[in-house]
Amino acid sequence: EKIAEDMKTAMKSGEKLRLETLRMVRAGLLEKQVEKRPSGGMTPEDEVVVLISASKKRKEAIAVYREKGREDLASIEEKELGIIQEYLPKQLSASEIEEVVRKSIVASGASSAADFGKVMPLVMKELKGKADGRVIQEIVRKLLGT
């Protein structure tokens, strides 16, 4: 609903990039909604998954464009990423992630790098949508001593 309202605002103000980005996000949400229909509809978590997927695509595209020397296209992708991130939950800092990881290590009884598989699912469940998976993985590896 918020995206639909923001699309109207972008249309009226002539913000073409914002409008196109919001249309893309809305299309992704509608696809997910159709996919989820038999099981009872979308949850807020499903919405976050769609937004995370869209932001990951932008980050990957930015990296590829920069690698190929296409700064013009990378800057467009960065602007789209900024728009998408407005709708995502606030991302946690490294210290906040580390605190959650420490609690999960204690809760799982993990003591070495071999316990990585025990800790990651607990952490990901708690931090889904609130932090980048790669950052979480790095912190878990660091704290487990790998």
Side-chain angles (χ1 to χ4, degrees):
E1 293 170 9
K2 171 132 177 61
I3 289 175
E5 287 299 316
D6 290 351
M7 280 175 58
K8 289 177 192 172
T9 304
M11 241 184 276
K12 289 177 184 174
S13 64
E15 297 174 77
K16 188 176 180 186
L17 181 68
R18 184 174 193 80
L19 178 61
E20 289 174 10
T21 303
L22 292 175
R23 279 186 176 147
M24 180 276 312
V25 169
R26 187 165 173 258
L29 290 169
L30 290 173
E31 283 178 28
K32 188 72 161 181
Q33 189 174 20
V34 168
E35 177 187 312
K36 288 288 193 170
R37 193 169 290 145
S39 64
M42 273 183 50
T43 64
E45 291 79 24
D46 293 328
E47 293 172 0
V48 171
V49 167
V50 170
L51 292 168
I52 289 171
S53 173
S55 72
K56 276 185 186 177
K57 287 176 186 172
R58 295 301 168 292
K59 288 176 184 175
E60 291 167 3
I62 290 167
V64 170
Y65 287 142
R66 290 236 159 89
E67 186 180 301
K68 302 292 182 191
R70 294 296 309 265
E71 194 58 42
D72 55 330
L73 296 174
S75 87
I76 292 170
E77 294 289 335
E78 281 180 336
K79 289 174 187 170
E80 289 181 0
L81 178 61
I83 293 166
I84 293 166
Q85 287 178 333
E86 292 174 22
Y87 298 92
L88 280 169
K90 180 187 158 287
Q91 298 293 291
L92 298 176
S93 69
S95 61
E96 292 169 316
I97 295 168
E98 200 168 305
E99 187 178 314
V100 172
V101 170
R102 287 184 194 282
K103 288 178 186 173
S104 297
I105 289 172
V106 170
S108 68
S111 59
S112 70
D115 297 322
F116 181 82
K118 289 181 182 176
V119 177
M120 275 305 284
L122 295 173
V123 175
M124 290 307 290
K125 183 177 180 186
E126 192 166 336
L127 296 180
K128 187 147 184 98
K130 297 177 185 173
D132 185 293
R134 287 190 199 122
V135 174
I136 294 170
Q137 191 176 31
E138 287 172 16
I139 291 172
V140 170
R141 287 188 193 282
K142 180 180 86 173
L143 294 177
L144 288 176
T146 55

